[in-house]
Amino acid sequence: MNNREYAEIVCKELQAALGAIDTEATEKFADLLLEADEIFCAGAGRSGFQIRGFAMRLMHMGRKSYMVGETCTPNITENGLLVVCSGSGTTKSLVNHAMKAKEVGAKVALITINPDSAIGKLADVVIQIPAVSPKSDVQGAVKSIQPMGSLFEQCEGIYLDIVIMILMKRLGLDSDTMFGRHANME
Amino acid sequence: MNNREYAEIVCKELQAALGAIDTEATEKFADLLLEADEIFCAGAGRSGFQIRGFAMRLMHMGRKSYMVGETCTPNITENGLLVVCSGSGTTKSLVNHAMKAKEVGAKVALITINPDSAIGKLADVVIQIPAVSPKSDVQGAVKSIQPMGSLFEQCEGIYLDIVIMILMKRLGLDSDTMFGRHANME
Amino acid sequence: MNNREYAEIVCKELQAALGAIDTEATEKFADLLLEADEIFCAGAGRSGFQIRGFAMRLMHMGRKSYMVGETCTPNITENGLLVVCSGSGTTKSLVNHAMKAKEVGAKVALITINPDSAIGKLADVVIQIPAVSPKSDVQGAVKSIQPMGSLFEQCEGIYLDIVIMILMKRLGLDSDTMFGRHANME
Amino acid sequence: MNNREYAEIVCKELQAALGAIDTEATEKFADLLLEADEIFCAGAGRSGFQIRGFAMRLMHMGRKSYMVGETCTPNITENGLLVVCSGSGTTKSLVNHAMKAKEVGAKVALITINPDSAIGKLADVVIQIPAVSPKSDVQGAVKSIQPMGSLFEQCEGIYLDIVIMILMKRLGLDSDTMFGRHANME
């Protein structure tokens, strides 16, 4: 099978999984993103790389955003929103972050395969992506030919980019405006 | 427009761009990945996040892989391969890395929109993804409703995941084998 | 007070704290570093920055070293050593890492102010640096004019550099040899 | 030689190098840090780890600070200050950053062994630390028994911590106030 043949299958998997994400939950997620004074993003491994792209786009839009664990990330307070990407919803360090966020009165949003997970139970909004991973066993999930959590991680990145477009529309921003704060030292 | 409507458009953009990537160049890229003793991955900004996912999967497969700029990344030598993700192909730090790699006799692979760029000209293999970005003006490119380089960056991540499946097939690996070296402290 | 006057006080604090570190514990720590097949380094915040420098020097020496949380860091196994820097010895994510390491049969070394902490209790060797931090209340500790954990963090970095010199002596390495694997893309 | 004996020698090296840093340059550096709207910190390798600690402390003090290359770091503008740590003063990526900063009208501060370097020549203030490294050959420098740039890197970290104390005094801050924004998710 060559790369074009793989691409066709993967794009169908993406369409199936992304097309099943709840629209109401997404609107609520967008509300929380616009209401928060500061947005903290967290994720481990490949989920962490996807949400980094989201944190960066939020900065491009002029929102105060941070990656948990980076150098200049301050404490989260009651006006903050913590966005967590976790397929299993049970990664220990992320559970701790979510508990801390709730403890100080901040909001929590979770992008996950498993809404019934530890983080899912305390989140203010849960975005379920029905993409099968080796760690989960969810009814009605999209089957993937891809290894490990690849389909979920791809969906995370694309979904979060879609959320950015929803925010841009609400805020009346376009691509040129956003380029304004694009890093000029890299 | 809600998230499902956006998803449908974005998946069509992805299919158009990913479906246009050269199959011969991909096979040559896979050859270089299997021939190299060590694989060094580099990218700035959101392209950098996508290639991090690739570097991690290579490690899962038991290949010696590194992200340029991380703590324990050593020098590249003549048996190394440098894989660069850069939409423009002109990011200064990445041009410097590519020049250094060629200087010591290492191979260079580039994932880009612009094959005629500084890095493209010295690369051993160039993977062109025809996804329009604000920095480029390429004939026959896939038009996107997405801001900045989002379509290109999504394609990078998915394409590199496809390359992983091609490598897995060549090496006879499956998802279970690969989980063997998945980080257990995160 | 100008920077030179501050420097004089700080250097006295450093001498007092570093001069009190146990020599036998240090020799045992060096043994563990040489016996391990792979060395995993972990720390949060400013302690994390100091131990990054150690992980890098280990790589310069030709040892297989990793920072926990970076892209290409694999799982720890029974032949691994986890080195943790934590003033309090109680940072949750680091406690989890140490528990995981012990679970798979790996060794754990701790650099800390508080040997009686959660990580201290399960570590194979504990290096106590008697430098006062706001989170601790240790008898006989060196008092500092510096804010927060600064004195401890400075001591961590310098102590770990001293351990590198002890390893170099044991291995017969000199500065020129070590430069061999210094990153050439940065 | 055991760790205490090494510590005694290293602390003397530190005292000699730190005690030779210019006090007027330091006061000017403090002025620039207080005048800037945003402070961007940059460094490669072990110098980069030391300046990360400085960027974090600036955040603790309530200053807007960023590490160049991290996820949410925006563009530098004319009201920004770029602080570079580079022993040689010639690391290519850092030279590019400094040139970009000057191009947009921002200020540049350099901590270095070599004031006559490419970055030194365009910096608004240069802090010279006379600590010998293998890459330099400076008259009157402090000789070190330590490998590579270790003495310089230790001095960077400690010097920058001293600058923090100078800023705290000017701003009337104490350690308790600063703890206010210490990350609570780590």
Side-chain angles (χ1 to χ4, degrees):
Chain A
M1 202 148 62
N2 69 31
N3 58 293
R4 292 183 181 187
E5 293 162 330
Y6 275 118
E8 205 178 318
I9 297 173
V10 170
C11 285
K12 276 181 192 151
E13 293 179 3
L14 290 169
Q15 173 58 54
L18 290 167
I21 296 175
D22 195 62
T23 55
E24 274 184 50
T26 299
E27 295 304 319
K28 186 172 177 200
F29 180 32
D31 292 342
L32 292 179
L33 285 162
L34 292 176
E35 286 161 21
D37 283 349
E38 297 183 317
I39 299 160
F40 296 77
C41 298
R46 284 172 42 111
S47 288
F49 304 146
Q50 294 302 330
I51 198 170
R52 269 182 172 73
F54 183 60
M56 184 179 273
R57 275 284 186 270
L58 290 171
M59 178 272 287
H60 290 158
M61 299 178 72
R63 309 285 302 163
K64 262 197 208 167
S65 60
Y66 304 100
M67 271 304 297
V68 173
E70 290 200 349
T71 304
C72 299
T73 302
N75 58 325
I76 191 168
T77 65
E78 58 182 347
N79 300 315
L81 169 67
L82 172 67
V83 184
V84 178
C85 275
S86 172
S88 67
T90 60
T91 307
K92 273 185 189 175
S93 60
L94 300 174
V95 175
N96 286 338
H97 297 339
M99 287 174 62
K100 188 73 197 175
K102 294 306 296 181
E103 186 187 316
V104 302
K107 296 280 196 299
V108 173
L110 173 68
I111 325 286
T112 189
I113 301 170
N114 291 322
D116 296 331
S117 55
I119 305 176
K121 278 170 191 158
L122 53 76
D124 297 276
V125 63
V126 177
I127 308 295
Q128 185 182 12
I129 302 181
V132 166
S133 104
K135 288 186 188 171
S136 74
D137 182 23
V138 179
Q139 282 284 357
V142 175
K143 293 265 165 57
S144 174
I145 61 160
Q146 302 186 76
M148 304 164 78
S150 290
L151 176 59
F152 174 69
E153 294 143 8
Q154 293 158 359
C155 286
E156 284 175 314
I158 298 167
Y159 172 73
L160 290 170
D161 278 351
I162 287 171
V163 171
I164 291 291
M165 286 192 284
I166 290 172
L167 296 179
M168 285 172 69
K169 203 166 189 183
R170 290 209 194 173
L171 294 169
L173 292 172
D174 63 26
S175 194
D176 292 340
T177 333
M178 284 171 59
F179 239 130
R181 293 243 72 184
H182 189 287
N184 53 3
M185 298 183 292
E186 64 178 23
Chain B
M1 202 147 65
N2 69 31
N3 58 294
R4 292 183 181 186
E5 293 162 330
Y6 274 119
E8 206 179 319
I9 297 173
V10 170
C11 285
K12 276 181 191 150
E13 293 180 4
L14 290 170
Q15 172 59 53
L18 290 168
I21 296 176
D22 195 62
T23 54
E24 274 184 49
T26 300
E27 296 304 318
K28 185 171 178 199
F29 180 32
D31 293 341
L32 291 179
L33 285 162
L34 293 176
E35 286 160 22
D37 283 349
E38 298 184 316
I39 300 160
F40 295 77
C41 298
R46 285 174 41 111
S47 288
F49 304 145
Q50 294 302 329
I51 198 169
R52 269 181 172 74
F54 183 61
M56 184 179 274
R57 274 285 186 269
L58 290 172
M59 177 272 288
H60 290 158
M61 297 178 73
R63 309 285 301 164
K64 263 197 207 169
S65 61
Y66 305 99
M67 272 301 299
V68 173
E70 291 200 349
T71 303
C72 299
T73 301
N75 58 325
I76 192 168
T77 65
E78 58 182 346
N79 300 316
L81 168 67
L82 173 66
V83 184
V84 178
C85 275
S86 172
S88 68
T90 60
T91 307
K92 272 186 192 176
S93 59
L94 300 174
V95 175
N96 287 337
H97 297 338
M99 287 172 62
K100 188 71 197 177
K102 293 306 297 182
E103 187 187 317
V104 301
K107 296 280 195 300
V108 174
L110 173 69
I111 325 285
T112 189
I113 301 170
N114 291 323
D116 296 331
S117 54
I119 304 176
K121 279 170 190 158
L122 53 78
D124 297 276
V125 64
V126 177
I127 308 295
Q128 184 181 13
I129 302 180
V132 166
S133 104
K135 288 186 188 170
S136 74
D137 182 22
V138 180
Q139 283 285 358
V142 176
K143 292 265 163 58
S144 175
I145 61 161
Q146 303 187 76
M148 304 165 78
S150 289
L151 176 59
F152 173 69
E153 294 143 7
Q154 293 159 358
C155 286
E156 284 174 314
I158 298 166
Y159 172 73
L160 290 171
D161 278 351
I162 287 170
V163 171
I164 290 291
M165 287 192 284
I166 290 172
L167 295 179
M168 285 172 69
K169 203 165 188 184
R170 290 209 195 172
L171 294 170
L173 292 172
D174 63 26
S175 196
D176 292 340
T177 333
M178 283 171 62
F179 239 132
R181 294 244 70 186
H182 190 287
N184 53 3
M185 299 184 291
E186 63 177 22
Chain C
M1 202 149 63
N2 69 31
N3 58 294
R4 292 182 180 186
E5 293 162 330
Y6 275 118
E8 206 179 318
I9 297 172
V10 170
C11 286
K12 276 181 192 150
E13 293 179 3
L14 291 169
Q15 172 59 52
L18 290 167
I21 296 177
D22 195 62
T23 55
E24 274 184 48
T26 300
E27 296 305 318
K28 186 173 176 197
F29 180 32
D31 292 342
L32 291 178
L33 285 162
L34 293 176
E35 286 160 21
D37 283 350
E38 297 184 316
I39 300 160
F40 295 77
C41 298
R46 286 173 40 111
S47 288
F49 304 146
Q50 293 302 329
I51 197 170
R52 269 181 172 74
F54 183 61
M56 184 178 274
R57 274 286 186 270
L58 290 172
M59 177 272 287
H60 289 157
M61 297 178 73
R63 308 286 302 164
K64 264 197 205 167
S65 60
Y66 304 100
M67 271 302 298
V68 174
E70 291 200 349
T71 303
C72 299
T73 301
N75 58 325
I76 191 169
T77 64
E78 58 181 346
N79 300 315
L81 168 67
L82 173 66
V83 184
V84 178
C85 275
S86 172
S88 68
T90 61
T91 307
K92 273 187 191 175
S93 59
L94 300 175
V95 174
N96 288 337
H97 298 339
M99 286 173 62
K100 187 71 197 178
K102 293 306 296 182
E103 187 187 315
V104 302
K107 296 280 195 299
V108 174
L110 173 68
I111 325 286
T112 190
I113 301 169
N114 291 323
D116 296 330
S117 55
I119 304 176
K121 279 170 190 157
L122 53 77
D124 297 275
V125 64
V126 178
I127 308 296
Q128 185 181 12
I129 302 180
V132 166
S133 104
K135 289 185 188 169
S136 74
D137 182 23
V138 179
Q139 282 285 358
V142 175
K143 292 265 162 57
S144 174
I145 62 160
Q146 303 187 74
M148 304 165 78
S150 290
L151 176 59
F152 174 69
E153 294 142 9
Q154 293 159 359
C155 287
E156 283 175 314
I158 298 166
Y159 172 74
L160 290 170
D161 279 351
I162 287 170
V163 171
I164 291 291
M165 287 192 284
I166 290 171
L167 295 178
M168 286 172 69
K169 203 165 187 184
R170 289 210 195 173
L171 294 169
L173 293 171
D174 63 26
S175 195
D176 292 339
T177 333
M178 284 170 60
F179 239 133
R181 292 243 72 184
H182 189 287
N184 52 3
M185 299 184 292
E186 63 177 22
Chain D
M1 203 150 61
N2 69 30
N3 58 294
R4 291 183 181 187
E5 292 163 329
Y6 275 117
E8 205 178 319
I9 297 173
V10 170
C11 285
K12 276 182 192 150
E13 293 179 3
L14 291 169
Q15 173 58 50
L18 290 167
I21 296 175
D22 195 62
T23 55
E24 275 184 47
T26 299
E27 295 304 318
K28 188 174 176 197
F29 180 32
D31 292 342
L32 291 179
L33 285 162
L34 293 176
E35 286 161 22
D37 284 349
E38 296 183 319
I39 300 159
F40 295 78
C41 298
R46 285 174 39 112
S47 288
F49 304 146
Q50 293 302 329
I51 197 170
R52 268 181 172 76
F54 183 60
M56 184 178 274
R57 275 285 186 268
L58 290 172
M59 178 273 287
H60 289 158
M61 298 178 71
R63 309 286 301 163
K64 263 197 205 168
S65 60
Y66 304 100
M67 270 304 297
V68 173
E70 290 200 350
T71 303
C72 299
T73 302
N75 58 326
I76 191 168
T77 65
E78 57 182 345
N79 300 315
L81 169 67
L82 173 66
V83 183
V84 178
C85 275
S86 172
S88 67
T90 60
T91 307
K92 273 187 189 174
S93 59
L94 300 174
V95 175
N96 287 337
H97 298 338
M99 287 174 62
K100 188 72 197 177
K102 292 308 296 181
E103 187 187 316
V104 302
K107 296 279 195 300
V108 173
L110 174 68
I111 324 285
T112 189
I113 300 170
N114 289 324
D116 295 331
S117 55
I119 305 176
K121 277 169 190 158
L122 53 77
D124 297 276
V125 63
V126 177
I127 307 296
Q128 185 182 13
I129 302 181
V132 165
S133 103
K135 289 184 187 172
S136 75
D137 181 22
V138 180
Q139 282 285 358
V142 174
K143 294 265 164 57
S144 175
I145 61 160
Q146 303 187 74
M148 304 165 79
S150 290
L151 176 60
F152 174 69
E153 294 143 8
Q154 293 158 359
C155 286
E156 284 175 313
I158 297 166
Y159 172 73
L160 290 170
D161 278 351
I162 287 171
V163 171
I164 291 292
M165 286 192 284
I166 290 172
L167 296 178
M168 285 172 69
K169 202 165 189 184
R170 289 208 195 174
L171 295 169
L173 292 172
D174 63 25
S175 194
D176 292 340
T177 333
M178 285 171 61
F179 240 130
R181 292 243 74 185
H182 189 287
N184 52 4
M185 299 183 291
E186 64 177 22

